[in-house]
Amino acid sequence: MTAQATPAASPGTTGEQPGVRLARSRRNAELSLLAVAMVLVAAYGGMVEANVLDKVTGDFWIPAVALSAVFLGLHVVIRYLAPFADPALLPAVALLNGIGVGFLRRLDLADAPAAERADLAIFAGTGGRQLAWTLVSVILAAGLLVLMRDHRAVSRYAYTLGLAGIVLVMIPAVLPNRFSEINGAKLWIRIGSFSIQPGEFAKLALLVFFAYYLVRKREVLSLASRRFLGIDFPRGRDLGPVVVVWLISLMVLVFEKDLGTSLLYFGMFVVTLYIATERVSWLLIGLLLFFGGAYLAYFLGSTVGGPFANFYLRAEIWLDPFADPLNDGYQLVQGLLALGTGGLFGAGPGGGTPDVLPEVQNDFIFAGIGEEIGLFGLSALLVVYLLIVQRGLRAALTVRDSFGKLLAGGLAFTLGLQVFVIVGGISGLIPLTGQTTPFLSAGGSSLMANWLLVAVLLRISDAGRRPVSGGSAARPGSAGPPEQLHGAPTEVIRP
């Protein structure tokens, strides 16, 4: 009996499986990009100190190192639990988060007395709190990756999450103003010094429900009743879900006095519906419904007032912010002046006066940063956001199940739409909104919700990029092909 020879590893290889080498290559690329991002954050912090303090202290690097340790921990979690995930997502988000922390510390330095600025503690003020919120947010993202080994499992709780999302949206609307209203918008739950913005988490819960519902109903919603101007329109009886979400978005607009949140909820549903059905008619119907409802609210605000008055005032400020530049239009006028002062290259990190902008740490952080880094710098930040959205859409294209496609596409679009309504508001393209800039603005609710969004995109991209073996993709944490989860659709739709 002759012994059977075993194939030898080819020269230059270690005998590793191709999938293992691919995963290691992606994670090493992620680590390298993360290091570059943190070097940029450290350089930004040094330039801020050079302009604000006229010197660079020996502690300028500490926030960047602290952030590096936090993000490195998440990198390790991804390396073991989502090894095939997109390597560009974490570094891009970490760069935005780091720039946000650096700019908030810059505001702390400007607010401190001149004699005490050089000795301001690294973890003091708004910048220090944002560092703490970053740690909490990244821990939540890592915990979600640990608990959610398969993104399809969350579809089991779609209806529960949908109900929870609606409740979270409506809670601020029914609370007394002293517990929910800040700067005219009822978006918060405030108890003493504690406050939370439940709508930031509601968008994630609602997106899970939308994705699950539309996978189940997409064949019905794709049916056309008549063709008009070359576009197939749906049947009248299929408009029910869109009308319901439209009414909810109008209630948010009227009772929570916030155009941005209303547009965000309705927009993410309509776009998810379009992804599911590939019917342009749903986009047209959604646009007509939203703009019709907004105009109705504006008309009622000018004639009736009451709950419509706040939206009417915001629309009037948008139409002519310089009509009352020292009162109602002050915030928008100051934002426009900051962007204009920044010009192409800006005054340099720490060289502007963003502290004169109302709510610069929240709603107008993009204008404050723009004064110091100019149009070129803002364009670079927008490219980073665009990269995150593009990578999210790519995850939607590569994942094999319908639920994952709709969920990833909806999450990516929601992030892009949120950036649009913020930048559109501060630049005068649309009326001002109460939205926060993802990963840049101060506050824990937005930061935690958006890091959870990134964690879901990482999980879905890992499933989509995982090499196929024997006709099925291996599921994280299992040795064989994935089984159909209860209530989790796995049929493939066209990207």
Side-chain angles (χ1 to χ4, degrees), residues 146-170:
V146 172
L147 295 176
M148 188 177 66
R149 299 299 181 93
D150 192 320
H151 63 274
R152 295 170 298 171
V154 76
S155 65
R156 298 172 178 172
Y157 313 102
Y159 286 100
T160 302
L161 289 172
L163 178 61
I166 293 174
V167 171
L168 289 174
V169 169
M170 292 305 170

Side-chain angles (χ1 to χ4, degrees), residues 38 51 189 335 392 394 425 471:
M38 292 300 100
N51 284 317
I189 299 176
R394 186 173 179 180

Side-chain angles (χ1 to χ4, degrees), residues 222-289:
S222 298
L223 296 177
S225 62
R226 62 183 62 187
R227 191 174 183 85
F228 180 69
L229 296 178
I231 300 174
D232 295 321
F233 283 87
R235 300 176 302 179
R237 61 176 175 269
D238 296 329
L239 291 174
V242 179
V243 173
V244 170
V245 178
W246 175 67
L247 290 174
I248 292 175
S249 68
L250 282 185
M251 292 174 65
V252 171
L253 176 63
V254 173
F255 295 106
E256 296 191 358
K257 307 174 185 178
D258 186 68
L259 173 66
T261 302
S262 174
L263 177 60
L264 189 66
Y265 292 151
F266 188 64
M268 68 186 189
F269 175 74
V270 172
V271 169
T272 309
L273 178 57
Y274 167 71
I275 296 173
T277 63
E278 301 180 14
R279 294 284 187 189
V280 178
S281 56
W282 284 118
L283 293 179
L284 297 178
I285 292 171
L287 289 173
L288 288 174
L289 284 173

Side-chain angles (χ1 to χ4, degrees), residues 43-404:
Y44 180 83
M47 287 187 286
V48 164
E49 290 197 353
N51 284 317
V52 176
L53 305 177
D54 293 326
K55 65 176 181 178
V56 179
T57 67
D59 297 334
F60 82 95
W61 52 269
I62 295 181
V65 171
L67 288 169
S68 299
V70 172
F71 298 139
L72 182 62
L74 182 57
H75 164 77
V76 172
V77 173
I78 296 172
R79 182 175 285 269
Y80 285 99
L81 298 182
F84 297 96
D86 194 309
L89 276 173
L90 175 59
V93 175
L95 176 61
L96 293 173
N97 199 157
I99 294 296
V101 170
F103 182 75
L104 293 173
R105 173 164 172 78
R106 179 256 179 278
L107 296 178
D108 293 334
L109 291 173
D111 291 339
E116 301 176 8
R117 289 176 181 173
D119 298 323
L120 184 67
I122 295 294
F123 299 100
T126 307
R129 287 195 297 272
Q130 192 74 353
L131 269 175
W133 280 122
T134 300
L135 174 62
V136 174
S137 302
V138 171
I139 290 175
L140 286 177
L144 185 61
L145 288 174
V146 172
L147 295 176
M148 188 177 66
R149 299 299 181 93
D150 192 320
H151 63 274
R152 295 170 298 171
V154 76
S155 65
R156 298 172 178 172
Y157 313 102
Y159 286 100
T160 302
L161 289 172
L163 178 61
I166 293 174
V167 171
L168 289 174
V169 169
M170 292 305 170
I171 285 177
V174 300
L175 287 176
N177 290 348
R178 66 179 183 276
F179 294 120
S180 62
E181 185 172 335
I182 296 179
N183 297 326
K186 290 171 61 67
L187 300 173
W188 299 83
I189 299 176
R190 303 170 57 196
I191 302 175
S193 60
F194 172 80
S195 63
I196 188 172
Q197 193 171 350
E200 292 287 346
F201 303 96
K203 65 184 181 185
L204 301 179
L206 290 174
L207 273 172
V208 173
F209 171 73
F210 291 162
Y212 179 85
Y213 175 82
L214 293 174
V215 166
R216 289 288 183 262
K217 301 295 183 181
R218 83 167 180 273
E219 296 297 336
V220 174
L221 295 171
S222 298
L223 296 177
S225 62
R226 62 183 62 187
R227 191 174 183 85
F228 180 69
L229 296 178
I231 300 174
D232 295 321
F233 283 87
R235 300 176 302 179
R237 61 176 175 269
D238 296 329
L239 291 174
V242 179
V243 173
V244 170
V245 178
W246 175 67
L247 290 174
I248 292 175
S249 68
L250 282 185
M251 292 174 65
V252 171
L253 176 63
V254 173
F255 295 106
E256 296 191 358
K257 307 174 185 178
D258 186 68
L259 173 66
T261 302
S262 174
L263 177 60
L264 189 66
Y265 292 151
F266 188 64
M268 68 186 189
F269 175 74
V270 172
V271 169
T272 309
L273 178 57
Y274 167 71
I275 296 173
T277 63
E278 301 180 14
R279 294 284 187 189
V280 178
S281 56
W282 284 118
L283 293 179
L284 297 178
I285 292 171
L287 289 173
L288 288 174
L289 284 173
F290 183 81
F291 286 114
Y295 179 77
L296 178 62
Y298 174 80
F299 175 76
L300 293 175
S302 63
T303 56
V304 178
F308 305 96
N310 182 268
F311 175 70
Y312 173 76
L313 177 60
R314 290 201 175 200
E316 286 293 299
I317 294 172
W318 167 59
L319 292 172
D320 189 3
F322 291 92
D324 189 8
L326 298 179
N327 189 13
D328 291 335
Y330 182 76
Q331 186 180 30
L332 180 56
V333 168
Q334 289 297 316
L336 293 173
L337 290 175
L339 292 175
T341 303
L344 291 178
F345 302 102
T353 55
D355 47 299
V356 304
L357 268 172
E359 299 297 325
V360 64
Q361 75 278 10
N362 295 317
D363 300 358
F364 270 67
I365 194 170
F366 208 76
I369 293 177
E371 182 186 1
E372 299 192 337
I373 64 176
L375 178 61
F376 285 174
L378 286 184
S379 298
L381 288 183
L382 289 176
V383 168
V384 176
Y385 279 114
L386 182 61
L387 174 65
I388 298 171
V389 173
Q390 185 268 340
R391 292 290 178 159
L393 294 176
R394 186 173 179 180
L397 290 173
T398 55
V399 75
R400 300 169 182 86
D401 64 287
S402 301
F403 175 73

